[in-house]
Structures are given as C-alpha cells and as structure tokens.
Amino acid sequence: MTSRQRPIPTYVLLALLLVLSQPLEPAVITVGGTCNLNAAIDAANDDAPRGSCPAGSGSDVIKLTAGVPLTIVDNDTDGSNGLPSVTSRITVEGNGYLVYRDNFGVPTPPPFRVFHVGATGDLRLKDLTVLFGRSQKGGGIYNRGGLTLKNSTIGPNLADVVPGSRRGGGIYAHAASTTRVVSSVISNNSVIDAAVRDGGGGIWAGTGASVVVSHSTFSNNDVTSFTGAYGGAVGGPDATVTITNSTISGNSISATFYGYGGGVAARDLSISNSTVSGNTASVSSGDSYGGGVWGGGSVHQTTFHGNSADYGASLYGSGGGLTLSGSLFAAAATGDHCEGTLSDAGGGNLADDATCLPAFGSLTGLDLNLADNGGPTQTHELLDGSSAIDNAGACGLGTDQRGAGRMGSCDSGAFEHLGNGCSLKEFEDVTISTSWFGLACHTGLVGPNFIVDGPLGSWDLYVGYLAVLRDGFEVREGAELSVTIDPSLLPPPPP
C-alpha cells in the first residue's frame, strides 16, 4: 500500500495565516540593575535577550528608572557613539531623566555622540534629556532613519572634534531621513569651526531630509565658521523644513565670508503660527543674509522681532522666494526687515518700517518683550489697540501659537488678542460655576479637563469652538482640551 499525505484543511491554513499576520506585541524593557541602556537597545534591535535585559518583540519600549551617564564608546558608526545604533522601532521613555556623555567624569571620556539611528531605525524619545554629546556630525544624535522627540530636551551638545565638515550641534539629520520635534526644547547646542556650507546649531538637515517642528522652542543654538554657515537653529539648504506653533529665539551664526539664516536656513520652508525673535547672522569680511529666516517657501501668521543681518534682518527670500501672509515685523536690530525675493500671499502683513513689500501696513502695539503669555512657548503679546488686531481676515487657523482660539477675523502674527485686560487661562480638572462667566471679554481656556457647571444661554458649533455662552464668552475645543457639559443645561438647537 502506498500512503498519501492528507491535505491541510483550508480553515487551518487560514488560522495559521491570521496568527502569522498579527503584529508582534511590543516588549517593555526596564533599564535598571544589570540591564543597562546599551544592552536594552541591543535586545530591542535583535529581539533576543542581552544580559539581564529581556528580548525585544516588535516595536519595543525602553523605560528608564534613573539617569544614564555614558563613559565609553560603544561603536564607530558614522563616528563614535556612546550607545548602540538603533536599527528597529524603539521608544525610550525617559521619565524626566538624562542620557548623557559624562563630561565631568574622571578621566574625561573621549568625544562621542549619544544616540545613533540607522537607516532601518525609528527612534522615539519621550520625556528625555540628551546632553554633553560631542561629534563631528550630530553632537547629540545622528539620524539616518526616523527620529521623533516628544516633551524632550536636546542640549547642550557640540559638533566639532575633527577638521572639515561639522554639522548639527544637537542633531544631524542625514539625507532622506525624517525628524519630528514635538513639544520639545532644542537649546545651547553649538557647531564650532565649521567649513564651507556647514551649520545647523540645533539641527542640520541633509539633502532630501524632512524636519517637522511643532509646539517647540529652539533657543541659543549657534554656529561659528571659518568660511560660511547656515542656520543657527535649523540649517537645511536642500531639505524640507516645516515649523508650526514654535519659538525660534536667540540663535546665531558667525562666519568670515558669508552666512545664511541666523535662525533658520532652508530652501523649502514652511513656517506658521510661530515667533522668530532675537536671532543674528554676523559675517566679518563679507555679507550675511536673513537674521531670522533665509530661504524659500512660505511664512504665515508669524511674528518677527529683533533679528539682525546685513541683508534682511527678519528674512531674506532666496531661490523661488518667500510668500508672506498675516505676519508681523518689528524692531530690526540692524538693517532692513525684508530683502530678496518676496511676494504677498493674502495680505495681513504689517511692519514698523517700509522695507518690506509696498502692500504691508504699519505695525503698532506689539510688546517687544518675549515672554510667557500662556501656552508652551514664549510669544510677543499684542497690546490693546494694536493695528494687528483683526487684521488678517480668515487665516485658516483654529488657534494662535499658544493654543488660544482665533476669533472671527484673525489677528496678524502668532498671538491672538483675547480682549482688553484678558489673558490665556489654564485649568486642570476644575469645575467652573456659572457666576464665573461674568467676563465681558473673550478668554481662551486650555487644560486637560474642565467642567462648565451652569445654564448656557445659547450654543453653536463651528470651526475651533465647542460652545458660545450667553455673555459672548467662548469655550474652545482643541487637541489639549476636554470639555464636559451637562446636556440638560443646553438649550434646544436652533431650527
């Protein structure tokens, strides 16, 4: 007799395919004891145990329970690194701790950067500070793949070490990589003794790289160059850079022959709902361009103040030029606000001198102090009676830089004036009685949860708002806001 193998039933094959197609459950690897961060990254990359660290599985999460000082070089991929290169998707939950090159150790450790992300890697840092890294490219982090920062701080870090090209004091974003910065701070990073076409004190973005920044601050990053430099905060002459709801302040470039963008230098730039303040482009034997911004693209609902350069203290349009809408230009530290190729894209622009486009109106009533006016980043406040109030029409934005609701006709710039004597109020799990709503002005409310406890006289649903109270007080619904209203308090909807 000959035996025949029975075919596997179809339902069994389908069950196997279903099991195999399910994504792996991510492993959670806690760093502590003999499971150090280096071994945890290796375990996550290879899905295999390392030392006392358990094996990774799919998209892994590494949790820190203490700060991580680094004293020795782990590998030499793209320069010396203190940690293994990340080659898979890894989230490091810092819980407020530091990962740093132990610059104060005895003996002092050799120069190396902190993190390296390989081409297949996707590193996500949450609630973490990276500092004291030192390398030729990317003092803190070198990214060839994907990098996301959330509620994290990068700096101080340094790009110097060897002669030649020096880029990215905080982060080096390699060609075609993707870097996202969300609700984070990149500050006090430096590029020293750069060569030609180098820079990016905070971030350097290579050809085809994408850098997306939101609700973040770039401050006091700098580039020093023997010849020329790009971007005190972000340098990406051939990259795509998008910045929203952020502050770029106090960054600088200093070079011998030419310099571009004391704040940001990018030929494909989009910046909106942001503040560009106190940035400087300085050249000793040539010319500097764009104290705040240099490059091409669009600038929308952005406030410029106190920037400095030989040509275009606030901005300089290069290549295809910059289109401007709803933006403010105040108190150029040196030179004229605007130079280069510029065009008006919808109006609403105001300046305190006549160097920008003829269509620009005259700016009055801007607080020249960069300050905490509510929200996660610093801004320049609009004063009562400012010419910027209600000047920008339908700007297409639900909120201003801080998160306060844009109301009716938008104000020009990054700050929405909420009413005479009103300010942005912040609440957390607060119940507000109806008597509280005696304010005769618009006030923005931000916070994770609050409850309106009282009768509402009228209601409406439209972009940017949840309800309008009887006295004109507006309650806004936004990404960081949860509003609970007792349905019995609402009047019937209009017919």
Side-chain angles (χ1 to χ4, degrees):
M1 294 181 60
T2 58
S3 62
R4 292 189 302 170
Q5 185 176 11
R6 293 183 179 179
I8 300 175
T10 302
Y11 71 88
V12 175
L13 289 174
L14 290 174
L16 287 172
L17 288 173
L18 182 62
V19 170
L20 293 174
S21 66
Q22 296 302 308
L24 294 173
E25 285 292 324
V28 176
I29 304 172
T30 300
V31 173
T34 57
C35 177
N36 61 41
L37 183 55
N38 295 63
I41 292 174
D42 282 334
N45 282 335
D46 301 336
D47 288 346
R50 291 295 179 96
S52 63
C53 299
S57 175
S59 302
D60 302 306
V61 176
I62 296 175
K63 293 187 176 183
L64 302 187
T65 58
V68 180
L70 303 172
T71 59
I72 61 175
V73 173
D74 179 272
N75 64 88
D76 292 312
T77 307
D78 293 319
S80 298
N81 304 294
L83 295 169
S85 180
V86 172
T87 57
S88 63
R89 177 174 289 184
I90 297 175
T91 298
V92 179
E93 295 185 356
N95 296 308
Y97 291 111
L98 314 178
V99 178
Y100 60 101
R101 173 176 163 267
D102 191 1
N103 201 37
F104 304 105
V106 179
T108 301
F112 56 79
R113 71 174 65 90
V114 178
F115 284 98
H116 180 276
V117 184
T120 61
D122 184 357
L123 175 63
R124 303 175 180 202
L125 303 181
K126 295 182 179 180
D127 302 306
L128 183 71
T129 297
V130 177
L131 71 166
F132 302 146
R134 185 180 174 194
S135 183
Q136 180 186 3
K137 295 181 179 180
I141 303 172
Y142 190 114
N143 176 31
R144 280 186 174 271
L147 172 65
T148 300
L149 310 177
K150 187 171 183 180
N151 297 324
S152 293
T153 298
I154 308 297
N157 298 282
L158 177 64
D160 65 346
V161 180
V162 298
S165 179
R166 297 171 179 179
R167 299 175 175 176
I171 298 171
Y172 181 90
H174 193 271
S177 66
T178 299
T179 300
R180 299 179 181 87
V181 180
V182 182
S183 302
S184 294
V185 175
I186 297 184
S187 65
N188 299 299
N189 300 283
S190 298
V191 177
I192 296 180
D193 295 341
V196 177
R197 201 176 163 81
D198 289 344
I203 296 178
W204 174 269
T207 301
S210 171
V211 175
V212 179
V213 178
S214 64
H215 302 91
S216 296
T217 296
F218 282 68
S219 63
N220 303 315
N221 302 287
D222 63 88
V223 178
T224 303
S225 173
F226 286 130
T227 51
Y230 289 80
V234 181
D238 302 304
T240 299
V241 177
T242 303
I243 299 172
T244 59
N245 299 82
S246 297
T247 294
I248 312 295
S249 66
N251 305 282
S252 65
I253 57 173
S254 178
T256 303
F257 300 114
Y258 62 86
Y260 300 92
V264 180
R267 283 200 177 91
D268 186 1
L269 171 67
S270 173
I271 181 169
S272 67
N273 238 16
S274 294
T275 298
V276 181
S277 182
N279 304 284
T280 302
S282 175
V283 171
S284 59
S285 298
D287 295 318
S288 61
Y289 302 85
V293 168
W294 172 92
S298 63
V299 174
H300 181 52
Q301 295 294 139
T302 292
T303 299
F304 292 82
H305 169 267
N307 302 287
S308 174
D310 295 325
Y311 294 94
S314 292
L315 52 79
Y316 189 99
S318 179
L322 289 165
T323 59
L324 314 177
S325 57
S327 294
L328 303 180
F329 301 84
T334 61
D336 300 332
H337 279 303
C338 303
E339 301 269 2
T341 305
L342 307 172
S343 60
D344 191 314
N349 301 291
L350 300 174
D352 62 5
D353 71 13
T355 65
C356 295
L357 297 172
F360 280 24
S362 177
L363 172 62
T364 62
L366 180 72
D367 188 344
L368 302 184
N369 297 302
L370 186 64
D372 179 1
N373 295 305
T377 54
Q378 292 190 325
T379 53
H380 288 280
E381 180 182 11
L382 292 182
L383 304 177
D384 296 347
S386 170
S387 60
I389 296 173
D390 295 336
N391 184 64
C395 65
L397 298 172
T399 70
D400 70 359
Q401 178 179 332
R402 304 167 299 158
R406 295 277 187 181
M407 299 175 295
S409 182
C410 298
D411 299 347
S412 295
F415 184 99
E416 187 78 7
H417 187 267
L418 300 175
N420 295 352
C422 297
S423 62
L424 190 67
K425 303 294 183 182
E426 298 188 16
F427 299 94
E428 183 171 356
D429 297 319
V430 172
T431 297
I432 306 170
S433 67
T434 184
S435 61
W436 190 88
F437 292 108
L439 294 175
C441 63
H442 297 297
T443 300
L445 301 176
V446 297
N449 295 284
F450 66 87
I451 298 173
V452 178
D453 182 15
L456 306 181
S458 63
W459 72 277
D460 193 10
L461 292 175
Y462 58 101
V463 175
Y465 303 95
L466 176 67
V468 180
L469 305 191
R470 179 173 49 220
D471 57 3
F473 187 93
E474 301 191 11
V475 177
R476 179 182 59 79
E477 182 181 36
E480 298 178 356
L481 180 64
S482 174
V483 181
T484 302
I485 297 179
D486 184 342
S488 66
L489 301 177
L490 288 171

mmCIF file of all heavy atoms in Angstrom, residues 276-295:
data_model
loop_
_atom_site.group_PDB
_atom_site.id
_atom_site.type_symbol
_atom_site.label_atom_id
_atom_site.label_comp_id
_atom_site.label_asym_id
_atom_site.label_seq_id
_atom_site.Cartn_x
_atom_site.Cartn_y
_atom_site.Cartn_z
ATOM 1 N N VAL A 276 9.767 84.369 15.722
ATOM 2 C CA VAL A 276 11.184 84.364 15.352
ATOM 3 C C VAL A 276 11.788 85.634 15.938
ATOM 4 O O VAL A 276 11.560 86.736 15.432
ATOM 5 C CB VAL A 276 11.367 84.304 13.826
ATOM 6 C CG1 VAL A 276 12.835 84.263 13.457
ATOM 7 C CG2 VAL A 276 10.630 83.101 13.239
ATOM 8 N N SER A 277 12.563 85.504 17.016
ATOM 9 C CA SER A 277 12.934 86.670 17.802
ATOM 10 C C SER A 277 14.399 86.636 18.231
ATOM 11 O O SER A 277 14.887 85.614 18.735
ATOM 12 C CB SER A 277 12.046 86.724 19.060
ATOM 13 O OG SER A 277 12.327 87.860 19.852
ATOM 14 N N GLY A 278 15.115 87.743 18.017
ATOM 15 C CA GLY A 278 16.456 87.912 18.567
ATOM 16 C C GLY A 278 17.501 86.988 17.985
ATOM 17 O O GLY A 278 18.461 86.626 18.679
ATOM 18 N N ASN A 279 17.377 86.612 16.705
ATOM 19 C CA ASN A 279 18.376 85.774 16.042
ATOM 20 C C ASN A 279 19.338 86.656 15.240
ATOM 21 O O ASN A 279 18.963 87.724 14.758
ATOM 22 C CB ASN A 279 17.687 84.766 15.127
ATOM 23 C CG ASN A 279 16.682 83.910 15.868
ATOM 24 O OD1 ASN A 279 17.048 82.999 16.587
ATOM 25 N ND2 ASN A 279 15.394 84.227 15.713
ATOM 26 N N THR A 280 20.584 86.174 15.066
ATOM 27 C CA THR A 280 21.627 87.014 14.473
ATOM 28 C C THR A 280 22.445 86.249 13.451
ATOM 29 O O THR A 280 22.863 85.111 13.702
ATOM 30 C CB THR A 280 22.577 87.533 15.565
ATOM 31 O OG1 THR A 280 21.832 88.272 16.539
ATOM 32 C CG2 THR A 280 23.646 88.426 14.970
ATOM 33 N N ALA A 281 22.665 86.897 12.287
ATOM 34 C CA ALA A 281 23.608 86.390 11.291
ATOM 35 C C ALA A 281 24.709 87.437 11.134
ATOM 36 O O ALA A 281 24.452 88.563 10.714
ATOM 37 C CB ALA A 281 22.909 86.147 9.958
ATOM 38 N N SER A 282 25.946 87.053 11.475
ATOM 39 C CA SER A 282 27.057 88.005 11.506
ATOM 40 C C SER A 282 28.224 87.488 10.684
ATOM 41 O O SER A 282 28.613 86.317 10.809
ATOM 42 C CB SER A 282 27.504 88.228 12.964
ATOM 43 O OG SER A 282 28.638 89.058 13.027
ATOM 44 N N VAL A 283 28.799 88.354 9.831
ATOM 45 C CA VAL A 283 29.934 87.997 8.982
ATOM 46 C C VAL A 283 30.983 89.103 9.085
ATOM 47 O O VAL A 283 30.654 90.286 9.001
ATOM 48 C CB VAL A 283 29.488 87.800 7.518
ATOM 49 C CG1 VAL A 283 30.683 87.643 6.600
ATOM 50 C CG2 VAL A 283 28.584 86.587 7.408
ATOM 51 N N SER A 284 32.256 88.723 9.242
ATOM 52 C CA SER A 284 33.308 89.718 9.463
ATOM 53 C C SER A 284 33.866 90.313 8.172
ATOM 54 O O SER A 284 34.231 91.481 8.125
ATOM 55 C CB SER A 284 34.455 89.102 10.271
ATOM 56 O OG SER A 284 35.010 87.991 9.601
ATOM 57 N N SER A 285 33.949 89.525 7.086
ATOM 58 C CA SER A 285 34.584 90.017 5.858
ATOM 59 C C SER A 285 33.704 89.823 4.627
ATOM 60 O O SER A 285 34.197 89.722 3.514
ATOM 61 C CB SER A 285 35.920 89.295 5.630
ATOM 62 O OG SER A 285 36.811 89.543 6.686
ATOM 63 N N GLY A 286 32.411 89.726 4.812
ATOM 64 C CA GLY A 286 31.507 89.530 3.690
ATOM 65 C C GLY A 286 30.119 89.988 4.064
ATOM 66 O O GLY A 286 29.958 91.009 4.733
ATOM 67 N N ASP A 287 29.104 89.231 3.669
ATOM 68 C CA ASP A 287 27.724 89.627 3.904
ATOM 69 C C ASP A 287 26.936 88.485 4.545
ATOM 70 O O ASP A 287 27.177 87.310 4.262
ATOM 71 C CB ASP A 287 27.045 90.009 2.579
ATOM 72 C CG ASP A 287 27.680 91.239 1.955
ATOM 73 O OD1 ASP A 287 27.980 92.194 2.707
ATOM 74 O OD2 ASP A 287 27.886 91.246 0.723
ATOM 75 N N SER A 288 25.973 88.878 5.364
ATOM 76 C CA SER A 288 25.078 87.901 5.968
ATOM 77 C C SER A 288 23.653 88.165 5.489
ATOM 78 O O SER A 288 23.275 89.308 5.215
ATOM 79 C CB SER A 288 25.142 87.978 7.500
ATOM 80 O OG SER A 288 24.742 89.263 7.959
ATOM 81 N N TYR A 289 22.855 87.090 5.415
ATOM 82 C CA TYR A 289 21.524 87.163 4.843
ATOM 83 C C TYR A 289 20.510 86.472 5.743
ATOM 84 O O TYR A 289 20.677 85.312 6.114
ATOM 85 C CB TYR A 289 21.495 86.493 3.472
ATOM 86 C CG TYR A 289 22.456 87.078 2.489
ATOM 87 C CD1 TYR A 289 23.781 86.646 2.449
ATOM 88 C CD2 TYR A 289 22.068 88.068 1.589
ATOM 89 C CE1 TYR A 289 24.685 87.173 1.551
ATOM 90 C CE2 TYR A 289 22.956 88.606 0.678
ATOM 91 C CZ TYR A 289 24.257 88.151 0.662
ATOM 92 O OH TYR A 289 25.165 88.681 -0.236
ATOM 93 N N GLY A 290 19.459 87.207 6.072
ATOM 94 C CA GLY A 290 18.378 86.613 6.832
ATOM 95 C C GLY A 290 18.706 86.394 8.292
ATOM 96 O O GLY A 290 19.090 85.297 8.684
ATOM 97 N N GLY A 291 18.519 87.429 9.105
ATOM 98 C CA GLY A 291 18.786 87.259 10.527
ATOM 99 C C GLY A 291 17.849 86.257 11.173
ATOM 100 O O GLY A 291 18.258 85.452 11.999
ATOM 101 N N GLY A 292 16.565 86.314 10.796
ATOM 102 C CA GLY A 292 15.615 85.343 11.317
ATOM 103 C C GLY A 292 15.497 84.122 10.436
ATOM 104 O O GLY A 292 15.676 82.992 10.876
ATOM 105 N N VAL A 293 15.199 84.364 9.136
ATOM 106 C CA VAL A 293 14.944 83.283 8.192
ATOM 107 C C VAL A 293 15.607 83.597 6.862
ATOM 108 O O VAL A 293 15.543 84.741 6.378
ATOM 109 C CB VAL A 293 13.425 83.090 7.977
ATOM 110 C CG1 VAL A 293 13.145 82.191 6.784
ATOM 111 C CG2 VAL A 293 12.776 82.526 9.239
ATOM 112 N N TRP A 294 16.223 82.587 6.252
ATOM 113 C CA TRP A 294 16.728 82.660 4.876
ATOM 114 C C TRP A 294 16.204 81.459 4.106
ATOM 115 O O TRP A 294 16.201 80.332 4.619
ATOM 116 C CB TRP A 294 18.257 82.628 4.859
ATOM 117 C CG TRP A 294 18.844 82.508 3.466
ATOM 118 C CD1 TRP A 294 19.217 83.530 2.652
ATOM 119 C CD2 TRP A 294 19.130 81.303 2.744
ATOM 120 N NE1 TRP A 294 19.704 83.041 1.465
ATOM 121 C CE2 TRP A 294 19.662 81.668 1.486
ATOM 122 C CE3 TRP A 294 18.979 79.949 3.035
ATOM 123 C CZ2 TRP A 294 20.050 80.738 0.532
ATOM 124 C CZ3 TRP A 294 19.338 79.009 2.087
ATOM 125 C CH2 TRP A 294 19.881 79.406 0.849
ATOM 126 N N GLY A 295 15.749 81.697 2.872
ATOM 127 C CA GLY A 295 15.369 80.559 2.054
ATOM 128 C C GLY A 295 14.149 80.825 1.213
ATOM 129 O O GLY A 295 13.825 81.967 0.878
#
